[in-house]
Amino acid sequence: MRKFEPDKVAVALLQTALVNTGIATINVDGIYGDKTAKAVRAVETRFNMDLDEGSAARQTLGILDILLQNGQLGQTLAQADTALAGKKVQAALSALAAFQTSRLSGKVPDTLTIDALSVHFRLTLGSPTIGITRQLTNADLATIIERYTQLIGLFAASATRFRTGAPVNGIFTAAEAPINGPVTFGPAFTNVNSNFGGFIGPNSRAAILIHEGVHVFDRDSGRSDTHISEFEPAYSIQPADLSLHNPSSYASFAAHIDSKRDPVPRFGLGPGARGL
Ligand SMILES: [Zn+2]
């Protein structure tokens, strides 16, 4: 749909959506004139979408649809989600601190933490190397603790380090982040069903925040041999040295500790995973 669009019914629906979302006060007359074009451009600007010379592209209509469902999207939603993501990261940090204290005092650490380190990082307390698992070192623990500590700082700065926008990898990508950020959350990162895909539940959104956060701090996190989804069979046999750079390992370890079990299916965006 663009200026001088002949389908007056479609234009009137677009105008109704622009009025009902509070984005513009325009007449619903079915005529796609300058005011309607300006209102569409306002949507594109507000959500950092590609400026489309005021033509109501699919992404604009999709965003209006989310807003009409009282849904949230992008940075607004992600910033609210730092509460749950931060709680999971804190749970991971507390568990790792307790684990280290037990180890140093010669006690047997908590079974949950031992299991989660083995499942998500292939690190064990046992013998040096068996297949892909290996014995956990102080350096490994320091690496994991440092990464989670960085995530706490990132979430605290989400007002400036998160943004809404059109992901480079496409409008259907929920979120993405280059090294040093910012983290871009697209309209597909939403809590309602939309033209960009199904809704994403709070636990899966928290997993996405943790995952993208690791990309901000670890230059090796996007490599094809490290970046293996928690939904892939290859995840469970990824060698420890690579898992320490895998964003999905950090998201799933924190969820495992916080849920006191490895959730089935895991949180994030995989087959059947909604993360409610
Ligand atoms: Zn990733």
Side-chain angles (χ1 to χ4, degrees):
M1 246 192 292
R2 52 185 63 244
K3 249 174 122 175
F4 312 120
E5 164 67 45
D7 185 345
K8 288 197 168 191
V9 173
V11 173
L13 283 171
L14 169 66
Q15 290 171 327
T16 304
L18 288 164
V19 170
N20 288 351
T21 51
I23 284 167
T25 45
I26 50 174
N27 292 328
V28 178
D29 56 9
I31 298 167
Y32 200 129
D34 285 337
K35 284 185 176 168
T36 303
K38 195 177 159 198
V40 168
R41 206 172 298 126
V43 177
E44 289 163 352
T45 304
R46 178 166 147 192
F47 294 100
N48 297 314
M49 294 298 137
D50 309 324
L51 290 185
D52 211 5
E53 313 235 316
S55 68
R58 188 173 173 173
Q59 60 188 25
T60 308
L61 291 169
I63 289 168
L64 289 172
D65 174 53
I66 290 169
L67 298 177
L68 284 171
Q69 294 184 63
N70 288 320
Q72 290 174 296
L73 61 98
Q75 196 254 7
T76 309
L77 182 57
Q79 219 181 325
D81 287 333
T82 59
L84 182 59
K87 171 182 173 274
K88 290 174 192 255
V89 170
Q90 285 293 0
L93 281 170
S94 300
L96 292 166
F99 178 91
Q100 184 68 318
T101 302
S102 300
R103 231 163 61 103
L104 294 176
S105 60
K107 292 182 193 146
V108 180
D110 174 55
T111 312
L112 178 72
T113 311
I114 295 175
D115 286 349
L117 282 167
S118 164
V119 169
H120 304 288
F121 291 103
R122 264 63 61 193
L123 293 168
T124 64
L125 290 173
S127 42
T129 302
I130 306 170
I132 40 98
T133 65
R134 71 165 170 76
Q135 193 172 37
L136 175 119
T137 65
N138 286 332
D140 296 328
L141 263 186
T143 296
I144 300 170
I145 289 171
E146 184 194 13
R147 198 66 70 230
Y148 281 130
T149 305
Q150 288 170 323
L151 293 182
I152 295 290
L154 176 74
F155 296 163
S158 61
T160 55
R161 301 192 76 183
F162 287 3
R163 66 185 284 277
T164 304
V168 174
N169 290 321
I171 203 74
F172 296 100
T173 304
E176 67 186 13
I179 187 78
N180 297 325
V183 186
T184 296
F185 293 90
F189 188 85
T190 181
N191 53 2
V192 292
N193 285 310
S194 76
N195 298 351
F196 305 105
F199 68 92
I200 306 173
N203 282 304
S204 286
R205 300 199 308 268
I208 292 170
L209 262 62
I210 296 170
H211 178 113
E212 299 306 329
V214 172
H215 282 312
V216 170
F217 297 106
D218 187 343
R219 208 168 278 285
D220 293 325
S221 62
R223 272 171 30 192
S224 60
D225 57 347
T226 60
H227 195 251
I228 293 177
S229 161
E230 55 275 71
F231 299 94
E232 296 291 328
Y235 180 80
S236 62
I237 52 165
Q238 184 178 43
D241 290 338
L242 297 174
S243 300
L244 288 167
H245 298 285
N246 187 346
S248 296
S249 294
Y250 289 84
S252 295
F253 177 86
H256 188 147
I257 295 290
D258 183 59
S259 304
K260 302 199 169 15
R261 66 187 185 106
D262 195 13
V264 183
R266 290 186 176 128
F267 303 139
L269 293 180
R274 288 264 68 91
L276 292 178

